Amino acid sequence: MDSCLIRIVYLLTLGVGGGYLLDPLPIDDTTDLSRSPEFIRHPQDAYITTKNKVVVLSCTARHATQVNFKCNEEWVRPKSVRNEIRFDPHTKTRYIDSEITVTRSQVEEYFDVYRCVCVAWSGPKTAVESDRAKIQIAHLKKHFVREPVHTSIEAGYPVQLQCLPPEGAPMPEVFWLHDGQPIDPSQDGNFIISPDGGLILNLARLNDAGNYTCGAKNIAARRTTEPAILTVYVNGGWSDYGAWTACDARCGRGIQKRFRACNNPEPLHGGLGCLGSPVQKGDCNVVCPGTTPHRHDLKFLFPLLVFFLLIGLTCPFPFTLMNISPHIVSVFSLL
């Protein structure tokens, strides 16, 4: 045998009992009939689309003399199976590569559920089956199970927009658009797409406001919802009070005021205004000319009295009596 990789294509012929079996394949020193066949490549699940009308299923077995396909418990006709033998000169192992083509009409005949398996033999009683492969017609329904709705949220708080994609095969991938631009959570950690398809904003920011569209796609189609408006609002907050105004009375009792503004922060996008009044009022008194202040207006005299007493304790006695006694007497007379 040549040391290069040898490839030989064999056809299938009709077998006994209604099944389709391979013609006996050549047996040489690389064929070990004492070993059971082993699949090293199994057929994989596949989808048929409107663009791709067919799919090809393939498998590879070693230590086998025959390989065939069985789909929905029926053997595949010989003309539909392609078998190829190859030899690995390094390991002296023989492999059989087998494949079939499945059409859309075949799948539709079995109500969109079509399953196939490879079967390999190394003798009349040593049949081995591969993993089963499922072939489906890819589709994506038009209507979403749940669509996002208009939502308002205060800035700085988390919010979630709901979305459940339409039924489809294969299962559709959910994506989101913000004002028509794709959202990439890997680029902006403030966004998370939940396993069920919802969009989570960890903290709503002012620039997160806008139109949000949920989308779903697979190999069959791409669908999107109507945009939902996310409004991010800011509630107003009071600033500190300013200085008191002058007393509004020229003589006697009056009113003075101080003001604050609802700008810390200002309410935005429909946020609530500040609660309470922007004005605070207080009583005030203006001493009238030529009158003696009332007793309750003389609280300012106490510090003056203490000052005189301290002088009396620290200054020479004669000076104290001569200079501060009249002042102390006058202060007490006011009280």
Side-chain angles (χ1 to χ4, degrees):
M1 185 196 315
D2 195 313
S3 60
C4 297
L5 189 65
I6 303 174
R7 297 179 179 273
I8 309 171
V9 179
Y10 293 86
L11 299 177
L12 295 173
T13 57
L14 182 61
V16 181
Y20 294 103
L21 302 178
L22 285 168
D23 281 336
L25 299 179
I27 298 176
D28 52 28
D29 56 358
T30 65
T31 306
D32 187 353
L33 297 179
S34 65
R35 301 186 64 172
S36 297
E38 180 183 357
F39 282 98
I40 61 172
R41 184 165 58 95
H42 297 262
Q44 302 295 312
D45 294 344
Y47 293 92
I48 294 177
T49 67
T50 54
K51 294 181 180 180
N52 178 21
K53 302 292 186 180
V54 298
V55 295
V56 176
L57 296 183
S58 59
C59 64
T60 300
R62 61 187 175 190
H63 311 305
T65 58
Q66 297 177 351
V67 176
N68 196 2
F69 276 87
K70 192 190 317 186
C71 294
N72 280 22
E73 304 306 322
E74 294 183 1
W75 291 104
V76 175
R77 294 181 177 277
K79 64 179 182 180
S80 301
V81 181
R82 297 175 295 279
N83 278 340
E84 184 175 313
I85 298 176
R86 56 189 174 88
F87 298 95
D88 187 341
H90 301 289
T91 61
K92 295 184 178 181
T93 303
R94 184 171 73 164
Y95 298 87
I96 299 179
D97 297 319
S98 184
E99 67 178 27
I100 59 172
T101 299
V102 180
T103 66
R104 184 185 184 93
S105 60
Q106 286 176 288
V107 179
E108 290 175 337
E109 183 181 351
Y110 286 90
F111 305 101
D112 300 338
V113 178
Y114 200 73
R115 293 179 174 86
C116 295
V117 62
C118 278
V119 183
W121 295 266
S122 62
K125 298 182 180 180
T126 55
V128 176
E129 288 190 353
S130 69
D131 294 341
R132 289 186 178 273
K134 182 168 64 174
I135 300 92
Q136 294 178 271
I137 296 177
H139 68 279
L140 183 62
K141 291 187 175 181
K142 291 184 178 181
H143 301 293
F144 282 71
V145 178
R146 185 181 302 157
E147 297 191 15
V149 297
H150 301 325
T151 304
S152 294
I153 186 67
E154 184 178 356
Y157 286 85
V159 63
Q160 180 172 2
L161 301 176
Q162 299 289 338
C163 180
L164 280 178
E167 179 186 344
M171 183 176 294
E173 175 190 354
V174 174
F175 62 92
W176 282 86
L177 304 176
H178 178 208
D179 291 334
Q181 298 301 313
I183 294 175
D184 186 355
S186 66
Q187 298 297 320
D188 189 341
N190 195 46
F191 293 105
I192 298 174
I193 298 179
S194 64
D196 62 356
L199 180 67
I200 300 173
L201 283 72
N202 292 318
L203 293 175
R205 304 162 297 192
L206 290 178
N207 60 354
D208 291 328
N211 293 323
Y212 283 83
T213 304
C214 180
K217 62 181 179 180
N218 62 11
I219 59 176
R222 183 180 186 270
R223 315 283 187 202
T224 55
T225 65
E226 291 295 323
I229 299 175
L230 176 65
T231 301
V232 182
Y233 63 86
V234 177
N235 291 328
W238 289 115
S239 66
D240 294 333
Y241 280 105
W244 287 102
T245 62
C247 192
D248 62 357
R250 294 185 178 181
C251 178
R253 289 178 177 272
I255 298 295
Q256 59 183 171
K257 302 175 183 179
R258 60 178 181 174
F259 298 87
R260 59 181 178 175
C262 188
N263 60 3
N264 187 34
E266 293 183 0
L268 293 173
H269 306 148
L272 298 175
C274 299
L275 298 177
S277 173
V279 182
Q280 186 180 44
K281 298 179 180 181
D283 295 333
C284 59
N285 278 285
V286 177
V287 178
C288 298
T291 61
T292 301
H294 296 286
R295 287 187 178 182
H296 65 270
D297 295 328
L298 299 177
K299 294 180 181 179
F300 69 93
L301 295 176
F302 284 102
L304 184 62
L305 178 60
V306 172
F307 174 72
F308 284 138
L309 290 175
L310 291 175
I311 292 176
L313 294 175
T314 57
C315 295
F317 182 74
F319 174 81
T320 302
L321 293 177
M322 294 174 60
N323 294 283
I324 71 170
S325 294
H327 298 288
I328 295 176
V329 172
S330 64
V331 169
F332 277 105
S333 65
L334 292 174
L335 299 175

